[in-house]
């Protein structure tokens, strides 16, 4: 799944490179290039043949890759609209557990069993998207995607693959960027996902707050992960 309007961009180059790298590792790859598809991002009513096609791709997937440039601390509107339309009620969320009658979410849901990797290009310097960076750590910046979308629907979210200073990558440095991405994709089936806490009585009380004794001394996003 990719979203960049400039066919000559680093992001589009790495999308094509990543597809080749996955093929080389034996993956069967089904692509959705949203700009090339002229995807309609506006949710007017549920369903539609285009939505059903994308849902079949997700249903068949073991690994879901979302590749996009970081725009205003999030994904482009066309990709957000893809999620709005494709992650429908009863397909990705509000999938009911027949044993409890409750909706499956946060570690469970309609897309459980799939791994999800975000590949993100950003113009800023590496430190700005680190733990002490002015923009915030990339995992916190992408919290709505990693935790609120991928983990919420049951997918195992992997740590983002971030490429910084995207505008400065040139013929002399592209090889290193490609090598890092190829190395990441080579082990993507085996790497440890982000350790988000599941929605379970062991961790959360009825108002869906962390139970006393869980993640002591931590607040914010960090409190909702297993402490190692």
């Amino acid at each position: 799944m990719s979203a960049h309007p400039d066919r000559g961009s680093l992001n589009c180059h790495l999308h094509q490179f990543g597809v080749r790298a996955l093929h080389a590792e034996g993956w069967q790859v089904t692509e959705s290039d949203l700009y090339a598809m002229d995807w309609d991002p506006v949710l007017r009513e549920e369903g539609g043949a285009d939505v059903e096609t994308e849902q079949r791709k997700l249903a068949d997937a073991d690994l879901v890759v979302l590749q996009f440039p970081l725009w205003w601390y999030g994904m482009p509107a066309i990709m957000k609209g893809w999620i709005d339309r494709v992650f429908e009620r009863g397909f990705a969320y509000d999938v009911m557990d027949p044993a409890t009658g409750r909706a499956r979410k946060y570690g469970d849901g309609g897309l459980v069993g799939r791994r999800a990797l975000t590949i993100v290009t950003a113009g800023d310097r590496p430190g700005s998207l680190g733990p002490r960076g002015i923009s915030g750590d990339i995992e916190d910046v992408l919290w709505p995607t990693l935790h609120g979308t991928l983990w919420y629907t049951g997918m195992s979210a992997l740590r983002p693959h971030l490429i910084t200073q995207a505008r400065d990558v040139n013929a002399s440095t592209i090889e290193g960027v490609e090598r890092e991405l190829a190395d990441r994709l080579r082990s993507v089936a085996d790497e440890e996902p982000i350790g988000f806490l599941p929605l379970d009585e062991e961790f959360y009380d009825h108002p869906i707050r962390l139970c006393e004794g869980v993640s002591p001394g931590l607040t914010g996003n960090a409190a909702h992960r297993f402490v190692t």
Side-chain angles (χ1 to χ4, degrees), residues 16-52:
Q16 295 162 3
F17 177 86
V19 169
R20 294 195 298 272
L22 286 170
H23 278 306
E25 294 299 317
W27 290 87
Q28 179 181 344
V29 181
T30 302
E31 299 180 62
S32 289
D33 183 334
L34 297 180
Y35 280 99
M37 294 162 57
D38 196 22
W39 176 263
D40 181 2
V42 180
L43 174 59
R44 298 178 179 87
E45 57 183 11
E46 293 187 349
D50 54 351
V51 168
E52 292 173 2

Side-chain angles (χ1 to χ4, degrees), residues 15 28 39 41 66 80 91 100 116-117 120 123 131 142 162 167 173 196 217 225:
H15 167 225
Q28 179 181 344
W39 176 263
L66 301 179
K80 176 58 166 62
F91 172 74
T100 64
L117 172 66
V120 183
L142 295 182
L162 174 66
R167 300 183 190 88
T173 56
F196 293 130
R225 303 181 187 184

Side-chain angles (χ1 to χ4, degrees), residues 113-200:
R114 292 157 186 82
R115 288 173 162 257
L117 172 66
T118 51
I119 300 176
V120 183
T121 51
D124 216 339
R125 289 163 287 183
S128 73
L129 288 161
R132 291 175 57 83
I134 193 170
S135 296
D137 187 79
I138 187 61
E139 291 187 25
D140 290 328
V141 171
L142 295 182
W143 176 265
T145 297
L146 300 172
H147 188 269
T149 302
L150 303 176
W151 180 242
Y152 186 92
T153 58
M155 287 192 273
S156 296
L158 306 177
R159 59 183 176 82
H161 187 82
L162 174 66
I163 301 100
T164 54
Q165 294 181 299
R167 300 183 190 88
D168 299 328
V169 175
N170 55 38
S172 66
T173 56
I174 186 63
E175 185 177 344
V177 174
E178 291 175 343
R179 183 170 56 251
E180 289 180 358
L181 179 57
D183 289 344
R184 182 73 188 277
L185 295 175
R186 191 172 297 117
S187 60
V188 72
D190 301 314
E191 74 172 74
E192 193 71 21
I194 299 172
F196 293 130
L197 298 176
L199 182 56
D200 185 276

Side-chain angles (χ1 to χ4, degrees), residues 104-117:
R104 298 161 53 194
K105 54 188 175 181
Y106 292 115
D108 197 2
L111 299 178
V112 72
R114 292 157 186 82
R115 288 173 162 257
L117 172 66

